[in-house]
């Protein structure tokens, strides 16, 4: 599918999803967090789209704008089509629905994002830190993370 | 070993001529220790491949130096070859492994990571900057990763150290000969000129120019 | 909204509390982080019932070096050298992932010579990575000889690469806009000699290990994963292909010279350990085929089109591209603000995603099977933890 066609088709499924204007090298849509889970479900299940791989899930901390930008990159082995879904969350109290029940790999990817950014996933069966110890203070990939341990060159 | 290294010396301490016996015994024991170092397999990352290369591959046969019996259990190992980055989460485990090893125990740190943190020294919130902040290290082998030959050289250095070092009467206490400081009487200038002479002998490149450039690195 | 964050302690405790129908008592056993058959510092907590595995809880982070955080402070050329240290057995291919993303984003041109060299060295590295995987699998299954054989032949590839690149493991070879050094004058001859040497050796590998009934017993019908699960689990590379999904980026979105050479994508049928083992053997054959087609006609030209000292920036936006390493898809995602350093760099690493499928395969099997499954996944732990 061409990206225009794809966007139109997705908009017919879920009205809240709109093509993103952010500079990006793949077809990208944006969706508000309220409609996120139902959209993802349809993207997976819809016979015309059938995105059966969740290839990338990560987050970006836009500290000046006060948001976390979550990225979900989907791929369909049927059509060899990629789609990027962006969701914006406020930096205070970032909570979003978990997609573990749709793609099983999400369980780890979400734990990684929690570990690095502190984004909370509702409905995650086992949300805990992935790489760091359970009692680690703070979320290291946030831009305002501070740690006495980190060293600057020349220090 | 405990009988010979601990009980016997106490029993014989007052006897005339015991010193001579001990000196001879020291030599024998140290020789035996130096030539049967059993390493503990402790590889965390990239350096581990080169470490596996040394005892595993047929080319760099570590068995020549009596150190090929890699043990997965620390209780049967004499020597810990640290290969790979140590991170904060691993540090307590490394400490435990070290403590579980029986005396006398030796540690070889291979690679930039275990020496100083290597490529991950700056801006890292989890990499430990040098294994010697956690456990004592006897020999450092630089490189990223060091070649198997480098590891072999490190092993030989350790053997030399053991042969000349420990005594029967003081188990566990040993010299720390390998430090980053230059030995007394030798300056950096000496080393430089020696290197230069070496290079001049068997290199075709313009060494003088290269040496000059080395002093003032151009910011590529 | 209230989201509960648990701890490892809680997880193990609640996992024990689940009602089970077995008559014996279930218990936990800890495997790793210092364990000879986890290939590094992987730690698994196994819930066992007798010898049957009920649940596997992987615990990661014993080699988490914060590469992504360091990347945020590094220029793109510096990031290349960090990728060497993730999956060190596919170091060149990892470099390529960064180079490809940067080239696509900054519109840097390359020529055919560069692409040919990149393809050849990558395939050489794929062979040596699979050789090591083959040897280590043999050793895990109780045969020491494959380990020696695999390392012997791998060492020769390392020598060939060292002549050109100057490093044995952490190559740092493929750069945005070219490769670091031109190939050594002897390179073509030596690669050809090596292929002539290794072809019969690969048959010997098969004689030695593949036909061995013990190995077959231990690998066949162990750790079965169907295609649907594998896709949902995010597995890629030989692990996914063994489950009958012909997903290989070299074919699907050809990069380098892969569009111009002939090769087949090896796929398995059952998705068990044996298939994963055999897919790798077949991939070595195909890699040799690719090299054979390219080695004789490496075009003339420059090997580095962009000076290493030149400033390198990427236009603002989100950039992603991926390549097929020896273990699966390595993706590199950059969020750029138009500066010399990325605003955010994310690596989608193959092993991280492949390991997760272990939790689907292992339950129900024996502890011995678990070792076979881990071996057949061919994990490199620093690639998981980054
Ligand atoms: S010193 Fe280099 S090769 Fe060794 S573990 Fe560190 S990064 Fe890897």
């Amino acid at each position: 599918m061409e990206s225009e066609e794809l966007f139109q088709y997705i908009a017919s499924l879920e009205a809240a999803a709109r093509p993103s204007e952010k500079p990006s090298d793949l077809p990208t849509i944006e969706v508000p967090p309220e409609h996120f889970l139902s959209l993802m479900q349809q993207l997976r299940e819809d016979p015309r789209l059938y995105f059966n791989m969740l290839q990338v899930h990560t987050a970006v901390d836009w500290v000046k704008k006060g948001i976390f930008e979550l990225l979900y990159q989907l791929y369909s082995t049927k059509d060899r089509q990629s789609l990027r879904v962006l969701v914006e969350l406020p930096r205070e109290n970032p909570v979003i629905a978990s997609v573990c029940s749709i793609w099983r790999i999400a369980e780890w990817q979400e734990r990684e994002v929690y570990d690095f950014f502190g984004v909370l996933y509702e409905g995650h069966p086992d949300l805990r830190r992935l790489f760091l110890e359970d009692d680690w203070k703070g979320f290291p990939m946030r831009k305002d993370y501070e740690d006495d341990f980190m060293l600057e060159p020349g220090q | 070993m405990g009988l010979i290294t601990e009980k016997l010396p106490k029993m014989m301490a007052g006897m005339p001529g015991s010193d001579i016996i001990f000196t001879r015994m020291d030599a024998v024991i140290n020789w035996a220790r130096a030539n049967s170092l059993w390493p503990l397999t402790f590889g965390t990352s990239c350096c581990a491949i080169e470490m596996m290369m040394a005892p595993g591959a047929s080319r760099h046969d570590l068995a020549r130096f009596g150190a090929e019996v890699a043990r997965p259990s620390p209780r049967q190992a004499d020597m810990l070859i640290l290969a790979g980055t140590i991170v904060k989460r691993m540090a307590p485990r490394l400490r435990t492994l070290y403590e579980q090893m029986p005396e006398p125990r030796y540690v070889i740190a291979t690679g930039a990571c275990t020496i100083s943190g290597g490529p991950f020294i700056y801006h890292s919130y989890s990499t430990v900057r040098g294994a010697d902040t956690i456990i004592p290290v006897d020999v450092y082998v630089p490189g990223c990763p060091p070649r198997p030959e480098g590891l072999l050289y490190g092993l030989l250095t350790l053997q030399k150290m053991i042969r000349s070092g420990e005594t029967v009467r003081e188990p566990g206490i040993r010299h720390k000969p390998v430090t980053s400081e230059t030995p007394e009487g030798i300056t950096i200038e000496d080393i430089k000129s020696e290197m230069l002479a070496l290079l001049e002998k068997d290199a075709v490149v313009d060494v003088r120019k290269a040496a000059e450039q080395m002093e003032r690195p151009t910011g590529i | 909204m209230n989201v509960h964050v648990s701890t490892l302690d809680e997880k193990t405790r609640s996992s024990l509390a689940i009602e089970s129908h077995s008559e014996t008592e279930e218990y936990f056993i800890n495997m790793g982080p210092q364990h000879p058959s986890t290939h590094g510092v992987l730690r698994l907590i196994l819930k066992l019932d007798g010898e049957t595995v009920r649940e596997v809880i992987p615990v990661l982070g014993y080699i988490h070096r914060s590469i992504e955080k360091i990347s945020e402070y590094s220029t793109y050329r510096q990031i290349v050298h960090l990728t060497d240290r993730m999956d060190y057995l596919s170091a060149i291919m990892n470099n390529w992932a960064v180079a490809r993303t940067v080239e696509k984003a900054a519109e840097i041109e390359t020529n055919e010579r560069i692409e040919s060299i990149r393809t050849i060295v990558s395939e050489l590295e794929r062979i040596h990575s699979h050789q090591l995987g083959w040897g280590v699998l043999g050793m895990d299954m109780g045969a020491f000889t494959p380990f020696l054989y695999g390392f012997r032949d791998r060492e020769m590839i390392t020598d060939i690469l060292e002549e050109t690149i100057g490093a044995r493991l952490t190559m740092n070879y493929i750069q945005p806009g070219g490769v670091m050094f031109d190939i050594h004058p002897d390179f073509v001859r030596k690669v050809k000699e090596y292929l002539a040497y290794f072809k019969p050796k690969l048959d010997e590998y098969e004689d030695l290990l593949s036909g061995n009934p013990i190995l077959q017993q231990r690998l066949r019908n162990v750790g079965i994963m169907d295609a649907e699960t594998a896709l949902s689990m995010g597995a890629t590379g030989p692990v996914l292909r063994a489950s009958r999904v012909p997903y290989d980026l070299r074919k699907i979105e050809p990069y380098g010279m892969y569009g111009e050479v002939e090769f087949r994508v090896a796929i398995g049928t059952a998705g068990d350990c044996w298939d994963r083992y055999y897919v790798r053997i077949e991939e070595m054959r195909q890699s040799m085929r690719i090299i054979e087609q390219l080695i004789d006609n490496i075009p003339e030209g420059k090997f580095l089109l962009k000076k290493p000292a030149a400033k390198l920036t990427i236009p603002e936006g989100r950039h992603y591209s991926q390549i097929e390493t020896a273990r699966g898809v390595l993706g590199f995602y950059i969020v750029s603000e138009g500066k010399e350093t990325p605003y955010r760099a994310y690596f989608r690493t193959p092993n991280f995603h492949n390991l997760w499928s272990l939790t689907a395969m292992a339950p129900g099997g024996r502890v011995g099977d678990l070792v076979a499954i881990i071996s057949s996944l061919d994990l490199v732990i620093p690639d998981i933890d980054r």
Side-chain angles (χ1 to χ4, degrees):
Chain A
M1 263 189 264
E2 287 299 306
S3 36
E4 279 308 307
E5 202 187 334
L6 184 69
F7 291 149
Q8 270 169 19
Y9 186 66
I10 292 171
S12 74
L13 291 177
E14 175 65 68
R18 61 201 153 68
S20 167
E21 273 140 35
K22 292 177 180 159
S24 176
D25 61 346
L26 281 181
T28 308
I29 58 170
E30 266 179 79
V31 64
E34 310 87 75
H35 300 278
F36 169 70
L37 191 62
S38 71
L39 172 77
M40 290 309 246
Q41 213 123 32
Q42 296 189 47
L43 289 177
R44 171 71 178 81
E45 248 116 71
D46 187 274
R48 266 188 76 188
L49 298 172
Y50 198 66
F51 285 109
N52 52 0
M53 271 173 108
L54 174 59
Q55 272 191 323
V56 178
H57 169 46
T58 186
V60 183
D61 177 13
W62 294 103
V63 66
K64 290 204 194 94
K65 286 188 231 160
I67 53 169
F68 285 127
E69 176 189 297
L70 299 193
L71 160 118
Y72 296 79
Q73 192 165 303
L74 310 176
Y75 181 80
S76 151
T77 45
K78 193 168 124 263
D79 296 339
R80 299 188 175 172
Q81 173 92 46
S82 294
L83 178 73
R84 195 175 279 163
V85 180
L86 298 180
V87 188
E88 284 183 357
L89 289 183
R91 275 184 108 242
E92 282 92 48
N93 190 22
V95 184
I96 190 157
S98 160
V99 291
C100 292
S101 52
I102 310 175
W103 297 278
R104 286 171 77 182
I105 183 64
E107 196 175 324
W108 265 25
Q109 293 175 335
E110 286 173 356
R111 268 176 66 193
E112 186 194 315
V113 175
Y114 166 71
D115 198 354
F116 286 168
F117 292 93
V119 176
L120 296 171
Y121 292 87
E122 220 182 1
H124 191 291
D126 175 27
L127 188 66
R128 59 191 156 88
R129 291 208 178 249
L130 184 59
F131 292 134
L132 305 172
E133 300 273 4
D134 286 329
D135 53 3
W136 191 280
K137 296 255 174 353
F139 299 101
M141 289 299 285
R142 288 190 183 193
K143 289 278 172 184
D144 55 2
Y145 175 75
E146 272 175 20
D147 194 335
D148 300 337
F149 185 76
M150 275 163 74
L151 207 62
E152 292 280 325
Q155 210 167 308
Chain B
M1 225 33 186
L3 197 69
I4 299 174
T5 52
E6 276 155 41
K7 293 236 175 78
L8 197 64
K10 270 197 211 118
M11 273 156 52
M12 290 177 63
M15 284 166 68
S18 61
D19 280 0
I20 300 164
I21 299 174
F22 279 140
T23 328
R24 304 309 298 159
M25 214 152 73
D26 280 3
V28 174
I29 288 173
N30 286 337
W31 171 81
R33 275 180 181 162
N35 288 311
S36 71
L37 287 166
W38 288 10
L40 171 73
T41 52
F42 181 84
T44 58
S45 58
C46 351
C47 280
I49 296 290
E50 292 291 67
M51 185 195 71
M52 272 156 71
M53 218 67 193
S58 11
R59 186 184 295 180
H60 312 278
D61 187 10
L62 204 60
R64 287 176 291 167
F65 310 110
E68 86 285 13
V69 199
R71 292 282 113 177
S73 162
R75 311 230 181 248
Q76 301 165 343
D78 312 305
M79 169 175 68
L80 180 58
I81 300 181
L82 289 167
T85 327
I86 314 293
V87 299
K88 272 190 192 169
R89 193 167 189 176
M90 194 67 197
R93 276 85 182 174
L94 174 60
R95 177 94 219 169
T96 315
L97 281 175
Y98 177 75
E99 276 162 5
Q100 283 177 346
M101 285 167 61
E103 283 282 1
R105 53 197 169 191
Y106 310 97
V107 180
I108 297 183
T110 68
C113 281
T114 47
I115 296 174
S116 69
F120 311 102
I121 184 167
Y122 297 124
H123 304 301
S124 171
Y125 50 82
S126 58
T127 311
V128 171
R129 292 187 281 273
D132 46 9
T133 55
I134 309 164
I135 55 171
V137 176
D138 296 299
V139 174
Y140 300 88
V141 182
C144 183
R147 302 175 59 93
E149 290 91 331
L151 179 56
L152 294 188
Y153 185 68
L155 183 77
L156 291 179
T157 313
L158 182 65
Q159 287 186 341
K160 210 189 280 171
M161 188 183 131
I162 296 170
R163 257 186 251 121
S164 62
E166 258 170 300
T167 73
V168 183
R169 271 152 289 185
E170 298 167 300
I173 299 172
R174 56 176 180 265
H175 306 305
K176 299 275 293 173
V178 187
T179 61
S180 53
E181 275 173 69
T182 46
E184 241 176 277
I186 296 177
T187 60
I188 297 283
E189 291 308 315
D190 293 347
I191 296 174
K192 254 194 204 165
S193 57
E194 198 176 307
M195 291 294 287
L196 204 68
L198 243 171
L199 273 172
E200 247 167 336
K201 212 167 68 195
D202 47 40
V204 278
V205 289
D206 189 351
V207 224
R208 294 232 167 264
K209 219 166 120 202
E212 265 170 34
Q213 270 174 356
M214 235 161 63
E215 271 168 1
R216 267 175 277 103
T218 53
I220 299 175
Chain C
M1 276 186 279
N2 216 340
V3 180
H4 177 67
V5 176
S6 74
T7 60
L8 184 60
D9 211 27
E10 233 173 281
K11 165 79 183 162
T12 45
R13 229 178 284 143
S14 69
S15 160
L16 257 198
I18 297 171
E19 276 293 307
S20 78
H21 302 292
S22 66
E23 283 163 15
T24 49
E25 201 182 331
E26 295 182 334
Y27 59 101
F28 283 104
I29 203 166
N30 189 46
M31 187 173 171
Q34 159 65 19
H35 190 279
S37 74
T38 55
H39 297 193
V41 283
L42 174 65
R43 178 176 170 207
L44 303 170
I45 297 178
L46 312 176
K47 189 171 136 188
L48 300 179
D49 172 12
E51 235 215 289
T52 313
V53 180
R54 289 272 172 248
E55 194 183 351
V56 183
I57 308 172
V59 183
L60 307 181
Y62 291 98
I63 184 73
H64 174 62
R65 302 181 280 199
S66 50
I67 284 185
E68 286 174 16
K69 188 84 177 172
I70 301 172
S71 300
E72 285 178 11
Y73 296 91
S74 317
T75 62
Y76 295 107
R77 285 211 175 76
Q78 289 168 336
I79 293 175
V80 172
H81 104 280
L82 289 175
T83 61
D84 285 338
R85 277 117 186 122
M86 282 181 346
D87 179 355
Y88 37 78
L89 293 176
S90 345
I92 294 178
M93 291 173 256
N94 291 3
N95 298 165
W96 202 348
V98 177
R100 190 163 177 238
T101 316
V102 172
E103 277 163 14
K104 216 170 87 183
E107 290 170 2
I108 299 170
E109 299 267 310
T110 59
N111 61 21
E112 289 226 327
R113 182 181 180 79
I114 295 172
E115 297 295 340
S116 295
I117 297 176
R118 284 175 176 183
T119 313
I120 292 170
V121 290
S122 292
E123 288 309 313
L124 276 176
E125 187 150 64
R126 193 184 308 275
I127 294 176
H128 94 45
S129 163
H130 285 338
Q131 280 169 345
L132 188 127
W134 177 83
V136 171
L137 183 131
M139 196 172 68
D140 283 350
M141 297 297 106
F144 194 74
T145 322
F147 185 72
L148 288 177
Y149 277 40
F151 267 79
R152 178 194 63 194
D153 296 341
R154 181 180 174 275
E155 179 83 41
M156 295 179 192
I157 296 190
T158 323
D159 281 349
I160 296 174
L161 291 178
E162 189 187 0
E163 239 178 20
T164 290
I165 298 170
R168 287 163 54 90
L169 195 68
T170 47
M171 307 286 190
N172 195 7
Y173 184 51
I174 296 181
Q175 296 288 322
V179 293
M180 267 315 241
F181 312 102
D182 205 353
I183 50 172
H184 191 270
D186 284 346
F187 181 77
V188 175
R189 180 177 60 82
K190 289 208 169 157
V191 169
K192 277 200 233 160
E193 271 172 21
Y194 184 76
L195 291 187
Y197 161 83
F198 185 57
K199 267 211 187 129
K201 280 282 181 289
L202 190 55
D203 297 334
E204 193 185 324
Y205 279 22
E206 289 223 52
D207 287 348
L208 186 69
L209 201 59
S210 304
N212 185 331
I214 299 173
L215 185 89
Q216 301 228 358
Q217 288 270 315
R218 290 205 61 180
L219 297 186
R220 276 204 204 272
N221 293 326
V222 168
I224 298 176
M225 184 162 64
D226 58 35
E228 204 53 30
T229 319
L231 284 167
S232 162
M233 285 288 190
T236 48
V239 179
L240 180 61
R241 290 196 282 275
S243 299
R244 235 188 179 159
V245 183
Y247 180 76
D248 188 331
L249 288 176
R250 292 177 293 169
K251 266 277 190 266
I252 288 176
E253 37 181 88
Y255 54 95
M257 296 299 275
Y258 290 116
E260 269 129 76
V261 291
E262 263 177 50
F263 67 101
R264 275 183 298 140
V265 176
I267 58 168
T269 48
D272 56 2
C273 291
W274 171 262
D275 279 349
R276 288 190 278 280
Y277 163 79
Y278 210 77
V279 162
R280 293 205 178 89
I281 297 256
E282 188 54 36
E283 271 187 15
M284 285 196 243
R285 289 225 164 80
Q286 299 300 331
S287 295
M288 285 198 275
R289 231 176 112 191
I290 295 174
I291 298 173
E292 265 172 5
Q293 291 170 48
L294 291 173
I295 192 75
D296 272 326
N297 30 29
I298 301 175
E300 289 300 313
K302 279 191 171 173
F303 61 93
L304 188 59
L305 298 181
K306 201 155 168 67
K307 285 225 180 68
K311 205 172 149 192
L312 187 61
T313 57
I314 284 185
E316 206 181 322
R318 291 147 190 79
H319 307 279
Y320 178 81
S321 55
Q322 49 190 12
I323 58 137
E324 183 82 28
T325 73
R327 279 168 193 72
V329 173
L330 178 79
F332 184 39
Y333 177 67
I334 307 176
V335 178
S336 167
E337 278 194 318
K339 298 210 186 85
E340 272 189 275
T341 55
Y343 186 76
R344 165 103 171 94
Y346 170 78
F347 293 97
R348 182 237 181 263
T349 53
N351 287 296
F352 178 82
H353 293 74
N354 286 352
L355 172 65
W356 181 227
S357 51
L358 181 67
T359 56
M361 287 190 275
R366 298 295 160 101
V367 178
D369 296 345
L370 182 80
V371 173
I373 297 172
I374 298 175
S375 249
S376 75
L377 289 176
D378 195 12
L379 298 169
V380 169
I381 313 300
D383 195 41
I384 299 170
D385 284 357
R386 305 196 289 282

